[in-house]
Structures are given as C-alpha cells and as structure tokens.
C-alpha cells in the first residue's frame, strides 16, 4: 500500500474520471458512521458539495465504514479536507483500513498537516495492483489543535476502468458523449 499524495486546492478527482481510467463506485457501497450530529451525516459526506460536511458527535476514533456487497476492486480513496474552514475539526491523524470484514482489516496510518484540498490515497497491494476488498474503514484518530469532533467534507472511492475484452476500443468519456447528446 502506498502513501497519500496531496493535490493542490481545487484539484478535483473528477478530472481523473474524465480521462476514462477510473470511475467512482461509492454509490455501490453501504455507508455507515460511528456518530453524527443531526443534519451532518452520510448524505452531506456524499453530496458532491464541498460546503457541506459530516460532523461526528462522540468520542474518538470517529469511523466511516464503506461496505460493498461483493468483493470490489478499489484503486484509490479521495478525501477533501479544509483546515482554513474547519480548524480544530480538521483530522490530523487518520487510519485507512481495508479487508473482508471488521475482524481482518489491514491498516495504513496517515498524518496530515493543515490539509487544504483533495487528498488522494492509493490503495495498492505489494506489487502495485489495485486491492480487492469488501470493506474500507476510515478512522479519525486525532484532530488539529486537539479538537474532539471532526469534519469530513467529501469522500470518493475509485475503481480502475477495465479494458474491453472484445478488443482495443478508444475510451469514451462523458465529454466525448456530450457532443452527441442533441443528435436526433
């Protein structure tokens, strides 16, 4: 497994989707949280709006569980954090855990110093292939300024797009299809 790479503020992982090499699969999973304040839950974490966020409401560690119905190939996890907006609510130490269930999770620990923007966390095995997993758990172990509760603004989960088994066809992205959407 690899280390995270921080992108410049405003560098949206949807740009990777437009290249046709990855696609977001978070909608295929069941999401759960260890706690949340009313109106600041999973819906806000997944709404594609960087102004909304999940806010925990309880003791640490704060957990986000992402469970897939079948074993799923996952290449990358992207999280959006903004220290300037969230200050002591911003995570400083997180643990990303992957596995088949709660009892066999393998862990990656990350430290973030005043993050601002998208943080890309590659989820690769020892030979740099995307992992196959039933579950991803994100644990917030500590916040900046010893904050108690946490804010997470967005989390995205990406899988690689497989080559066509019929042959080498050019990849078609949403942008490619947009020019044909008005043909009748």
């Amino acid at each position: 497994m690899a280390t995270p790479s921080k992108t410049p503020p405003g560098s949206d992982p949807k740009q990777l989707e437009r290249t046709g090499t990855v696609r977001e699969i978070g909608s295929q999973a069941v999401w759960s949280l260890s706690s949340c304040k009313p109106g600041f839950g999973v819906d806000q974490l997944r709404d594609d709006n960087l102004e909304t966020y999940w806010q925990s409401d309880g003791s640490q560690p704060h957990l986000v569980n992402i469970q897939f119905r079948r074993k799923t190939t996952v290449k990358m996890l992207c999280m959006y954090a903004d220290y300037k907006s969230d200050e002591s609510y911003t995570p400083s130490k997180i643990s990303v855990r992957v596995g088949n269930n709660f009892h066999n999770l393998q862990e990656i620990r990350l430290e973030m110093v005043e993050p601002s923007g998208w943080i890309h966390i590659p989820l690769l095995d020892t030979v740099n292939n995307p992992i196959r997993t039933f579950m991803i758990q994100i644990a917030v172990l500590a916040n900046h300024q010893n904050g108690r509760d946490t804010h997470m603004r967005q989390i995205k989960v990406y899988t690689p797009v497989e080559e066509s088994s019929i042959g080498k066809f050019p990849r078609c992205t949403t942008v490619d299809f947009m020019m044909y959407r008005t043909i009748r």
Side-chain angles (χ1 to χ4, degrees):
M1 295 191 192
T3 57
S5 58
K6 186 177 169 194
T7 58
S11 181
D12 191 344
K14 286 190 175 190
Q15 293 172 351
L16 290 174
E17 276 188 90
R18 290 185 200 108
T19 66
T21 58
V22 295
R23 68 182 168 90
E24 211 279 331
I25 55 168
S27 61
Q28 297 174 12
V30 176
W31 292 67
S32 62
L33 304 169
S34 57
S35 67
C36 68
K37 295 239 186 233
F40 296 92
V42 173
D43 292 339
Q44 289 71 33
L45 190 59
R46 297 283 304 151
D47 65 2
D48 285 328
N49 182 350
L50 298 178
E51 301 301 315
T52 61
Y53 49 85
W54 160 54
Q55 181 173 334
S56 63
D57 187 20
S59 59
Q60 289 176 342
H62 305 299
L63 304 175
V64 178
N65 296 307
I66 307 165
Q67 294 176 280
F68 296 97
R69 290 176 175 84
R70 61 180 62 120
K71 203 166 201 177
T72 304
T73 302
V74 178
K75 182 176 185 175
M76 178 175 40
L77 188 68
C78 295
M79 298 183 336
Y80 190 87
D82 189 359
Y83 179 77
K84 289 180 181 160
S85 297
D86 298 327
E87 295 179 348
S88 67
Y89 290 92
T90 308
S92 62
K93 290 183 185 175
I94 64 168
S95 167
V96 177
R97 306 162 181 166
V98 296
N100 292 328
N101 57 52
F102 286 101
H103 305 292
N104 73 344
L105 297 175
Q106 296 179 353
E107 178 179 54
I108 309 169
R109 284 186 183 244
L110 308 170
E111 291 198 24
M112 302 183 289
V113 180
E114 298 184 5
S116 179
W118 285 100
I119 299 158
H120 296 237
I121 304 165
L123 298 177
L124 305 171
D125 64 16
T126 55
V127 290
N128 282 339
N129 290 325
I131 61 160
R132 292 195 37 82
T133 188
F134 278 105
M135 180 175 183
I136 301 170
Q137 183 179 73
I138 302 164
V140 178
L141 305 174
N143 290 327
H144 284 79
Q145 303 171 9
N146 296 319
R148 182 178 152 221
D149 289 326
T150 197
H151 286 180
M152 278 199 188
R153 294 188 171 265
Q154 291 292 303
I155 297 176
K156 303 288 182 190
V157 183
Y158 288 95
T159 188
V161 174
E162 301 295 324
E163 291 291 331
S164 171
S165 61
I166 301 171
K168 297 271 184 182
F169 290 103
R171 288 205 167 111
C172 297
T173 64
T174 306
V175 176
D176 294 334
F177 284 112
M178 287 179 73
M179 64 186 197
Y180 297 109
R181 70 180 177 189
T182 57
I183 295 176
R184 297 186 184 184

